[in-house]
Amino acid sequence: MKALRIKVPATSANLGAGFDTLGIALNLYNEFIVEENDSIEIETYPKFPEFENPDKNLFVKVLKTTCQFLGNEFHGVKVKQIINIPVSRGLGSSATAIVAGILAGFYANKKQPTDKEFFKIAYQFEPHPDNLLPAWKGGLITACIEGENTYYSKIPFPKDIKAVVVVPDFELSTEKARSVLPENISIKDAVYNIQRVSLFISALVNKNYELLKIAMNDKLHQPYRKQLIPNFDKVIKRALENGALGVSLSGAGSCMIALAKENFDKIGSGMVKAFNEVNISAEYKILEINEEGSKILIE
Ligand code: HSE
């Protein structure tokens, strides 16, 4: 097998009210350069010693599981991981490893996974289609799990909107960010979110961007998670003051994402400053929406 270069985009799940439902792919990529090998060899750029441990490397674990699923013996793999997506920040870095592992395993069999096959493997590692789907298929996607099946649909995303993502200098695991969520919520809060996530989709489709500010408000996860994000309210305020259309936590955090048509640098610097005020370094990235999803290139 020639070397494969698998490019998987970053994702931002939830977008405020669409908790565990919406996710969007962004033009920032992790790359996995994969070759057949008789043992496991892993190189990471920049260096992540933990990822170079074969027992802990998520891509390798997923590839092994995919080979087993397809009835193939796993002999080893040589993989170079180019890690451009900040790790444990709510930008879907784990989803990139899962998607790449599945695609590499299927590619070796000259096949592409069906939706059922993909989710059967992927959910063993991460049960969130709101990250997995945009990482695989690109674009803005709404997804739900009903019984054994995952249903999803792409939503046209306006080309004139970009994402300003602020990356604070601290990691936050999804596990920790989910552990602060309550078991039950009130019907009032459920209705609050249903109203806003519907408004969000309609506002994008009809280009009624002035609705996005309200449409990205949330009562299901952010009120609980914000205790883990110092100066959360100020970051949101600064983004809106500087011209963002709407702002939310990115996935389970710690990044925050603002959608905007202009003033990208102003919005980014404002959000960074809000983190700096509580002695947290941060940087911002201006990203476009990736519509293509994962790509396999032959080296
Ligand atoms: N929807 C998930 C969450 C995304 O917010 O916990 C994390 O993978």
Side-chain angles (χ1 to χ4, degrees), residues 11-15 18-22 90-92 94-95 126-132 173-175 177-178 181 221 225 249-253:
T11 52
S12 181
N14 306 327
L15 296 157
F19 177 60
D20 278 359
T21 303
L22 292 179
L91 288 175
S94 318
E126 173 169 326
H128 300 129
D130 49 340
N131 268 329
L132 293 165
S173 72
T174 302
E175 203 184 346
R178 290 189 86 86
L181 302 180
H221 67 117
R225 286 174 164 172
L249 196 60
S250 177

Coordinates of all heavy atoms in Angstrom, one line a residue, residues 11-15 18-22 90-92 94-95 126-132 173-175 177-178 181 221 225 249-253, ligand 1:
T11 N -13.7 20.5 14.2 CA -15.1 20.7 14.3 C -15.4 21.5 15.6 O -14.7 21.5 16.5 CB -15.9 19.4 14.4 OG1 -15.3 18.6 15.4 CG2 -15.8 18.6 13.1
S12 N -16.6 22.2 15.5 CA -17.1 22.9 16.6 C -18.5 22.4 16.8 O -19.4 22.7 16.0 CB -17.0 24.4 16.4 OG -17.5 25.1 17.6
A13 N -18.7 21.7 17.9 CA -20.1 21.2 18.2 C -20.9 22.1 19.0 O -20.4 23.1 19.6 CB -20.0 19.8 18.9
N14 N -22.2 21.9 19.0 CA -23.2 22.6 19.8 C -23.6 24.0 19.2 O -24.8 24.2 19.0 CB -22.8 22.8 21.2 CG -22.4 21.5 21.9 OD1 -23.0 20.5 21.6 ND2 -21.5 21.5 22.8
L15 N -22.7 24.9 19.0 CA -23.0 26.3 18.6 C -24.1 26.9 19.4 O -25.0 27.5 18.9 CB -23.4 26.2 17.1 CG -22.2 25.8 16.2 CD1 -22.7 25.3 14.9 CD2 -21.2 26.9 16.0
G18 N -27.6 24.2 20.2 CA -27.7 22.9 19.5 C -26.9 21.8 20.3 O -26.1 21.0 19.6
F19 N -27.0 21.7 21.6 CA -26.2 20.8 22.4 C -26.4 19.4 21.9 O -27.6 18.9 21.8 CB -26.7 21.0 23.9 CG -26.0 20.0 24.8 CD1 -24.6 20.0 24.9 CD2 -26.7 19.1 25.6 CE1 -24.0 19.2 25.8 CE2 -26.1 18.2 26.4 CZ -24.7 18.3 26.5
D20 N -25.3 18.7 21.7 CA -25.3 17.3 21.2 C -26.0 17.1 19.9 O -26.5 16.0 19.6 CB -25.9 16.3 22.3 CG -24.8 16.0 23.4 OD1 -23.7 16.4 23.3 OD2 -25.2 15.2 24.3
T21 N -26.2 18.2 19.2 CA -27.1 18.1 18.0 C -26.4 18.7 16.7 O -26.3 18.0 15.7 CB -28.4 19.0 18.2 OG1 -29.0 18.4 19.4 CG2 -29.3 18.9 17.0
L22 N -25.9 19.9 16.9 CA -25.2 20.6 15.7 C -23.7 20.5 15.8 O -23.1 20.5 16.9 CB -25.6 22.1 15.7 CG -27.0 22.5 15.5 CD1 -27.1 24.0 15.5 CD2 -27.5 22.1 14.1
G90 N -12.2 21.4 22.7 CA -13.5 21.5 22.1 C -13.5 21.8 20.6 O -14.4 22.4 20.0
L91 N -12.4 21.3 19.9 CA -12.3 21.5 18.4 C -12.2 20.2 17.7 O -11.8 20.1 16.6 CB -11.1 22.4 18.1 CG -11.3 23.9 18.4 CD1 -10.0 24.6 18.1 CD2 -12.4 24.5 17.6
G92 N -12.7 19.1 18.4 CA -12.8 17.8 17.8 C -11.5 17.1 17.4 O -11.5 16.4 16.4
S94 N -10.0 14.6 18.9 CA -10.2 13.2 19.0 C -11.0 12.7 17.8 O -10.7 11.6 17.3 CB -11.0 12.7 20.3 OG -10.5 13.4 21.4
A95 N -12.0 13.4 17.4 CA -12.8 13.0 16.3 C -12.0 12.8 15.0 O -12.2 11.9 14.2 CB -14.0 14.0 16.0
E126 N -16.3 7.4 20.9 CA -16.9 8.7 21.2 C -18.4 8.7 20.7 O -18.6 8.6 19.5 CB -16.1 9.8 20.5 CG -16.7 11.2 20.6 CD -15.8 12.3 20.1 OE1 -14.6 12.2 20.3 OE2 -16.4 13.3 19.6
P127 N -19.3 8.9 21.6 CA -20.7 8.7 21.2 C -21.3 10.0 20.7 O -22.5 10.2 20.9 CB -21.3 8.3 22.5 CG -20.5 8.9 23.6 CD -19.1 9.1 23.1
H128 N -20.5 10.9 20.1 CA -21.1 12.2 19.7 C -21.1 12.5 18.2 O -20.1 12.9 17.7 CB -20.4 13.4 20.4 CG -20.4 13.3 21.9 ND1 -19.3 13.3 22.7 CD2 -21.5 13.1 22.7 CE1 -19.7 13.2 24.0 NE2 -21.0 13.0 24.0
P129 N -22.2 12.2 17.6 CA -22.2 12.5 16.1 C -22.0 13.9 15.7 O -21.7 14.2 14.6 CB -23.6 12.0 15.7 CG -24.5 12.1 16.9 CD -23.5 11.8 18.1
D130 N -22.3 14.8 16.7 CA -22.2 16.3 16.4 C -20.7 16.7 16.1 O -20.5 17.7 15.5 CB -22.8 17.2 17.4 CG -22.4 16.8 18.9 OD1 -21.9 15.7 19.1 OD2 -22.6 17.7 19.7
N131 N -19.7 15.9 16.5 CA -18.3 16.1 16.2 C -17.9 15.2 15.0 O -17.3 15.6 14.1 CB -17.4 15.8 17.3 CG -17.1 17.0 18.2 OD1 -17.1 18.1 17.7 ND2 -16.9 16.8 19.4
L132 N -18.3 13.9 15.1 CA -17.9 12.9 14.2 C -18.4 13.2 12.7 O -17.6 13.1 11.8 CB -18.4 11.5 14.6 CG -17.8 10.9 15.9 CD1 -18.7 9.8 16.4 CD2 -16.4 10.5 15.6
S173 N -11.2 18.4 29.4 CA -11.6 17.1 28.8 C -13.2 17.2 28.7 O -13.8 17.7 29.5 CB -11.2 16.0 29.7 OG -11.9 15.9 30.9
T174 N -13.6 16.5 27.7 CA -15.1 16.4 27.5 C -15.7 15.7 28.7 O -16.8 16.1 29.2 CB -15.4 15.6 26.2 OG1 -14.8 16.3 25.1 CG2 -16.9 15.5 26.0
E175 N -15.0 14.7 29.3 CA -15.5 14.0 30.4 C -15.7 15.0 31.6 O -16.8 14.9 32.2 CB -14.4 13.0 30.8 CG -14.9 11.8 31.6 CD -13.8 10.9 32.0 OE1 -12.6 11.0 31.5 OE2 -14.0 10.1 33.0
A177 N -16.1 18.2 31.4 CA -17.1 19.2 31.0 C -18.5 18.6 31.0 O -19.5 19.3 31.1 CB -16.8 19.8 29.6
R178 N -18.6 17.3 30.9 CA -20.0 16.6 31.0 C -20.3 16.3 32.4 O -21.5 16.2 32.8 CB -20.0 15.3 30.1 CG -20.0 15.7 28.6 CD -20.3 14.4 27.8 NE -21.7 14.2 27.5 CZ -22.4 14.7 26.6 NH1 -21.9 15.5 25.7 NH2 -23.7 14.4 26.5
L181 N -22.7 18.6 34.2 CA -24.1 18.8 33.7 C -25.1 18.1 34.7 O -24.8 17.0 35.2 CB -24.2 18.2 32.3 CG -23.3 18.8 31.3 CD1 -23.5 18.2 29.9 CD2 -23.5 20.3 31.1
H221 N -26.3 23.5 28.7 CA -24.9 23.1 29.1 C -24.1 24.3 29.5 O -23.3 24.2 30.5 CB -24.3 22.3 28.0 CG -24.0 23.0 26.7 ND1 -22.7 23.2 26.2 CD2 -24.8 23.6 25.8 CE1 -22.8 23.9 25.1 NE2 -24.0 24.1 24.8
R225 N -21.3 24.7 32.5 CA -19.9 24.6 32.1 C -19.1 25.9 32.3 O -17.9 25.8 32.4 CB -19.8 24.2 30.6 CG -20.2 22.7 30.4 CD -20.3 22.3 29.0 NE -20.2 20.9 28.8 CZ -20.4 20.3 27.7 NH1 -20.7 20.9 26.6 NH2 -20.4 18.9 27.7
L249 N -19.7 28.6 23.5 CA -18.6 27.7 23.8 C -18.5 26.8 22.5 O -19.4 26.5 21.9 CB -19.1 26.8 25.0 CG -18.1 26.0 25.8 CD1 -17.0 27.0 26.4 CD2 -18.8 25.2 26.9
S250 N -17.2 26.4 22.3 CA -17.0 25.5 21.1 C -17.0 24.0 21.7 O -16.1 23.7 22.5 CB -15.7 25.8 20.5 OG -15.4 24.8 19.4
G251 N -17.9 23.2 21.3 CA -18.0 21.9 21.8 C -18.1 21.9 23.3 O -18.9 22.7 23.9
A252 N -17.3 21.1 24.0 CA -17.4 21.1 25.5 C -16.4 22.1 26.0 O -16.2 22.1 27.3 CB -17.0 19.7 25.9
G253 N -15.7 22.9 25.2 CA -14.8 23.9 25.6 C -13.4 23.3 25.7 O -13.2 22.1 25.4
Ligands
HSE1 N1 -21.8 17.8 22.2 C1 -20.7 17.3 23.0 C2 -20.6 18.1 24.3 C3 -19.4 17.6 22.2 O1 -20.8 19.3 24.3 O2 -20.3 17.4 25.3 C4 -18.2 17.1 22.8 O3 -17.7 16.0 22.0

